[in-house]
Amino acid sequence: MRRFCPSLEQELESVSKEILKEAFPESAGCPHYHFLCLLAKQGILNREQTQTIIRNLCAEVLFDLCCSDHLSFRLDTTGSLSPHLTILSISELLDSIHRELSLWQTLNLKPVYLDQMPRLDLPEVLERQVSKPIFSQWQKIFQSQQTLRELAGTLGKSPAEIGRLLMPLLRQGIVSMQPTSDMKSSFLEEPEREDPATKPLIVCIDDSEIICETIKRILIPEGYRFLGIQDPLRAIAQVLSQPPDLILLDLVMPSSNGYEICAQLRKVPRFRDTPIIILTGNDGIIDRVRAKLVGSSHFMNKPVQKEELLDIVRTYLSVKNAL
C-alpha cells in the first residue's frame, strides 16, 4: 500500500473489520482480498491501483515459493474468490519473477534477506566513508528496525534496489542482516475490548518519522497508547492537551533541542514527576550531565533497541504508579 498508494493512509483509517463484514459476509475465508474489494467498492482504490497491488502481492508470494527448498502443494477447489477484481497471467508473473531472481543473483544477494533486518555493526567505519548527511540518512534507516521488504515499502523502492545499496556495506562487514522472529499483527484482527483510555500514554517527540514509527511498532503491541510529535515547536502545546504517562524526547532537532523542551516541561507542575527519557545518537558525558541538569529521568542511545526500551518504560511507569 505504501509503495503503490502512498497517499491513502488517512482513508484506510476509516475502514474497520465491522464494515468489511457488513459489505462482504463471506470475507472470513480470505479477508485481505475482500479488504481490497471493499477499498475498490468505496472508490478509495481505483481499478489500476487495485490490479497493481494484487499483481505485486501474487508476485511476492510466488517469489518466496521459488526461493523455498521445502514445499507441499494442495489444490483447493471448494470455492473461488468473488467478486473478481483482475485476471492474472501466470506465465507473465513467472517471467517477472525469473528476472527478479536473476537480478538478485547478479547482485550476490540472498533472497532470505527480504525478511531480515539490516543492522549497523561498524558505524565509525561508515561515518568515515560517507558525508555527514548521507551518514544521517543511513542511521535513520537502521534505526527503523525494518526488514528489507518493509524498508522497500517505506522508501518507495523495490527490495532489489535497497539490497543493491546495502551490498557494498555487507561486503565490508559494516552491516549485517539479522533474522527477526517478530510476527506483525494484521490490521484485520478483532479490535481489543479494553478501554483504550486506561492504557498508559507514551509520547515521543522526535523530528524523524522513522524513529516515531519504530517506537510505535514496539509499544502498541505491548498494550501502550502512543503519540508521535515531529514538530518540536508544537510539542509543549500537544502534551498539555494530552498529558502522557511518559515522554521520549530527542536531544537534537532542527528548530529546537531536547534540553530546552525538557526544561520547559519541568516548569509545568503537571509534568514535574513525569518520566522524561532523552534519546540521542551521542553518548557523551557532557550531554548526559546537561540532560540531568534540566530534569531528564534517563538517557537512552539510538538506535532504539526493543528490549531496552520496554525495560525502561516498564521501570519508570511502575515507579510513577507507586508514587
Side-chain angles (χ1 to χ4, degrees):
M1 284 291 191
R2 280 180 178 155
R3 183 176 171 191
F4 298 107
C5 312
S7 62
L8 295 181
E9 198 118 352
Q10 290 185 338
E11 286 89 340
L12 293 176
E13 292 179 0
S14 65
V15 181
S16 67
K17 190 167 184 180
E18 286 70 26
I19 296 174
L20 178 62
K21 284 182 178 179
E22 184 177 341
F24 297 99
E26 72 279 18
S27 64
C30 194
H32 293 86
Y33 180 80
H34 287 102
F35 180 74
L36 291 175
C37 292
L38 180 60
L39 297 181
K41 182 179 179 181
Q42 293 185 342
I44 295 175
L45 291 179
N46 61 38
R47 183 182 181 85
E48 183 180 352
Q49 290 172 322
T50 305
Q51 293 177 343
T52 299
I53 290 170
I54 292 175
R55 184 167 59 250
N56 281 274
L57 284 173
C58 291
E60 280 190 7
V61 172
L62 289 173
F63 183 89
D64 287 348
L65 293 177
C66 290
C67 297
S68 178
D69 295 326
H70 306 286
L71 291 175
S72 60
F73 176 78
R74 180 175 62 88
L75 180 62
D76 185 357
T77 60
T78 58
S80 63
L81 294 175
S82 179
H84 295 163
L85 294 179
T86 187
I87 297 175
L88 299 177
S89 167
I90 296 298
S91 60
E92 289 180 8
L93 277 177
L94 291 176
D95 284 343
S96 69
I97 291 163
H98 177 73
R99 290 193 296 271
E100 186 79 4
L101 280 170
S102 299
L103 176 60
W104 280 72
Q105 291 167 357
T106 302
L107 295 172
N108 292 318
L109 290 167
K110 301 175 183 178
V112 71
Y113 287 166
L114 277 167
D115 297 304
Q116 293 185 349
M117 295 188 302
R119 185 182 71 185
L120 182 58
D121 295 327
L122 300 173
E124 66 282 356
V125 177
L126 180 60
E127 192 170 14
R128 289 197 298 266
Q129 292 186 4
V130 300
S131 65
K132 192 171 182 180
I134 297 297
F135 179 71
S136 177
Q137 290 176 7
W138 274 119
Q139 274 192 315
K140 289 180 179 179
I141 288 175
F142 297 124
Q143 288 167 2
S144 71
Q145 294 187 314
Q146 296 183 81
T147 65
L148 195 150
R149 201 192 303 263
E150 290 169 335
L151 279 172
T154 299
L155 300 176
K157 297 182 180 295
S158 72
E161 287 179 287
I162 304 298
R164 180 177 57 81
L165 294 173
L166 286 171
M167 198 62 217
L169 305 181
L170 290 167
R171 288 198 188 105
Q172 297 177 71
I174 297 173
V175 171
S176 63
M177 300 301 294
Q178 302 294 318
T180 173
S181 58
D182 293 344
M183 297 298 292
K184 303 294 188 298
S185 59
S186 169
F187 56 85
L188 294 177
E189 287 182 355
E190 292 287 352
E192 294 184 10
R193 300 304 178 189
E194 180 184 353
D195 182 4
T198 64
K199 298 179 180 179
L201 173 63
I202 298 174
V203 164
C204 178
I205 304 171
D206 195 307
D207 62 300
S208 169
E209 181 181 356
I210 291 179
I211 295 295
C212 288
E213 182 65 24
T214 298
I215 293 175
K216 178 180 178 180
R217 290 185 179 194
I218 294 173
L219 294 176
I220 294 294
E222 298 296 323
Y224 300 104
R225 290 182 293 149
F226 178 83
L227 173 63
I229 301 174
Q230 291 167 244
D231 183 357
L233 298 178
R234 299 176 55 194
I236 302 294
Q238 284 191 260
V239 295
L240 282 171
S241 63
Q242 291 180 273
D245 297 278
L246 183 143
I247 299 171
L248 300 167
L249 177 59
D250 186 24
L251 196 56
V252 180
M253 290 177 282
S255 54
S256 185
N257 67 61
Y259 301 123
E260 296 170 355
I261 294 175
C262 186
Q264 291 178 44
L265 286 171
R266 288 305 189 207
K267 292 176 183 178
V268 179
R270 172 68 177 77
F271 300 120
R272 282 177 185 165
D273 297 319
T274 301
I276 300 178
I277 313 300
I278 295 291
L279 304 175
T280 181
N282 302 318
D283 189 16
I285 185 66
I286 295 177
D287 288 328
R288 287 179 175 269
V289 171
R290 188 176 174 189
K292 200 68 179 175
L293 288 174
V294 295
S296 70
S297 308
H298 198 89
F299 203 88
M300 190 165 67
N301 291 327
K302 295 180 179 180
V304 174
Q305 302 298 318
K306 178 179 178 179
E307 292 306 321
E308 181 186 10
L309 174 63
L310 291 176
D311 285 344
I312 290 173
V313 167
R314 289 166 184 153
T315 298
Y316 279 93
L317 287 184
S318 64
V319 171
K320 182 173 181 289
N321 292 334
L323 293 176

